[in-house]
Amino acid sequence: MSLVTRAVAKFDVGQLYMTRGVAEGIDEDDVFKALVRHLDGDWGDVDEHDRQANDDAVLFGGRLLSAYVDRSNTRFWIITEADRSATTILLPSED
C-alpha cells in the first residue's frame, strides 16, 4: 500500500527558471524539496520581516523570496516575480 500526497501551490509560479550555478552546483533533490517548500509558503531561512512580506505578497501581490541551504551548506534563493510570470532558482552571487 502506498501513500500519495498532493501538494497544492499557494500561488502561481509562471515560467520556472534555474541558473547555471544552481544546475551545476546544487543537488536536484535539494532544489525540488526547496521548490515544494516555496510553493507551500515555507520561506526557508529568511528573517521575520521577509517572512511577513512574503505572507503579505501571497495575499495582496508582490515579489516572493525564499532562501534555502543545500546538503553541502550552499545557500540558494527562489524568487517568484510580483506578477507571477516567472520563478527563478539562483545562487545569491548570481543576483
Side-chain angles (χ1 to χ4, degrees):
M1 180 173 163
S2 68
L3 176 65
V4 177
T5 303
R6 181 177 171 184
V8 178
K10 295 188 177 200
F11 52 88
D12 291 330
V13 295
Q15 293 287 334
L16 188 59
Y17 300 98
M18 179 186 309
T19 63
R20 180 175 299 221
V22 170
E24 294 176 354
I26 306 293
D27 185 276
E28 66 184 36
D29 288 337
D30 293 337
V31 172
F32 179 76
K33 288 175 186 175
L35 182 59
V36 169
R37 289 175 61 191
H38 179 76
L39 294 173
D40 192 42
D42 173 351
W43 313 119
D45 187 23
V46 296
D47 63 26
E48 186 55 38
H49 177 266
D50 288 337
R51 189 172 314 283
Q52 187 61 55
N54 282 343
D55 289 342
D56 291 345
V58 169
L59 297 173
F60 307 111
R63 189 174 100 152
L64 301 164
L65 168 67
S66 295
Y68 305 98
V69 177
D70 77 348
R71 64 188 71 200
S72 64
N73 211 31
T74 300
R75 187 171 173 87
F76 64 103
W77 293 340
I78 301 179
I79 298 173
T80 299
E81 298 302 328
D83 65 1
R84 306 297 186 257
S85 63
T87 295
T88 305
I89 306 167
L90 68 157
L91 300 176
S93 62
E94 298 174 309
D95 183 27

